[in-house]
Amino acid sequence: MALGAVPHKAAYGELRFDSGRPCLDLLATTHPAERLDGVDRLRAWLAGAGLVPPGTPLPDAGPAWLDGFRDLRGHIDRLVTGELTAHPADAALARVNALAAAAPPAPRAVRHPDGSLTLALHGTPGRAALLAAVARDAVDLLTDPVARSLLRRCAGDNCPIVYLDTSRGHRRRWCSSEVCGNRERVARHRRRAAGLAPA
């Protein structure tokens, strides 16, 4: 599970955090192109997903971290796709379970001089701890019958994003009303306009 609230998504550029779970937000980093294209982008994703407080130093982050998160992303994708299509992905399940076995980062509350509390971590989290946090989120999601029943794939053309449909009445169709929903509305308008245009 995420350790903290997700800051405003505009702070993270093209990264998206609207799927409802960190493990699903990780899957969204492949669309429409590779979003985890460097270690700095991975750091931004970790903060945006709420896995580390913004500004957390990650001095050991490097190419192996990037490879590890991309590898985990592939396994989670196979697991989630397997759930949606009733085709179990046992090799992916074994890998996610193995990664989930490590201890995730331990949160702690820190008091500021103004008396407010804010989230911090006990020590600097390592790669295995952060991978474990995302892997455990996937395990929690896929073993929770209620949450699993809310998994949806975006109805947008060529959009592979999977999200949790927590909308009232569970009628959400798109990963984002502003992105895929808007594209669909524009396409529908163009089809109507083309049908009304003189031959």
Side-chain angles (χ1 to χ4, degrees):
M1 284 293 202
L3 293 173
V6 177
H8 190 272
K9 61 185 172 186
Y12 299 98
E14 296 175 346
L15 296 171
R16 293 181 56 179
F17 303 98
D18 52 4
S19 71
R21 295 296 284 256
C23 64
L24 299 178
D25 288 336
L26 182 61
L27 297 184
T29 62
T30 63
H31 182 72
E34 178 62 66
R35 301 293 187 200
L36 294 183
D37 54 5
V39 176
D40 287 340
R41 187 61 71 92
L42 175 60
R43 282 187 179 104
W45 184 85
L46 290 166
L51 298 170
V52 298
T56 299
L58 299 171
D60 296 333
W65 284 46
L66 201 55
D67 292 342
F69 277 89
R70 287 177 176 170
D71 181 61
L72 175 58
R73 180 180 66 190
H75 292 300
I76 292 172
D77 183 44
R78 286 187 283 285
L79 273 178
V80 169
T81 298
E83 285 300 307
L84 291 172
T85 62
H87 291 93
D90 290 338
L93 177 62
R95 184 65 181 138
V96 169
N97 281 335
L99 290 169
R108 66 187 179 109
V110 175
R111 191 166 305 282
H112 283 274
D114 68 2
S116 65
L117 292 174
T118 188
L119 179 71
L121 299 176
H122 284 283
T124 302
R127 175 177 166 251
L130 292 169
L131 286 169
V134 180
R136 285 178 181 214
D137 184 57
V139 168
D140 288 345
L141 169 63
L142 297 173
T143 59
D144 178 342
V146 174
R148 194 175 61 235
S149 73
L150 300 176
L151 280 172
R152 305 283 186 273
R153 190 168 301 278
C154 182
D157 286 341
N158 302 313
C159 183
I161 292 181
V162 176
Y163 59 89
L164 286 185
D165 181 5
T166 57
S167 66
R168 176 176 264 173
H170 306 295
R171 292 182 293 218
R172 182 175 164 189
R173 294 183 52 216
W174 303 293
C175 61
S176 166
S177 182
E178 295 82 22
V179 180
C180 288
N182 191 47
R183 281 190 200 124
E184 178 63 27
R185 288 186 287 275
V186 168
R188 196 176 324 140
H189 172 75
R190 287 182 180 155
R191 285 192 298 270
R192 280 195 304 261
L196 296 173

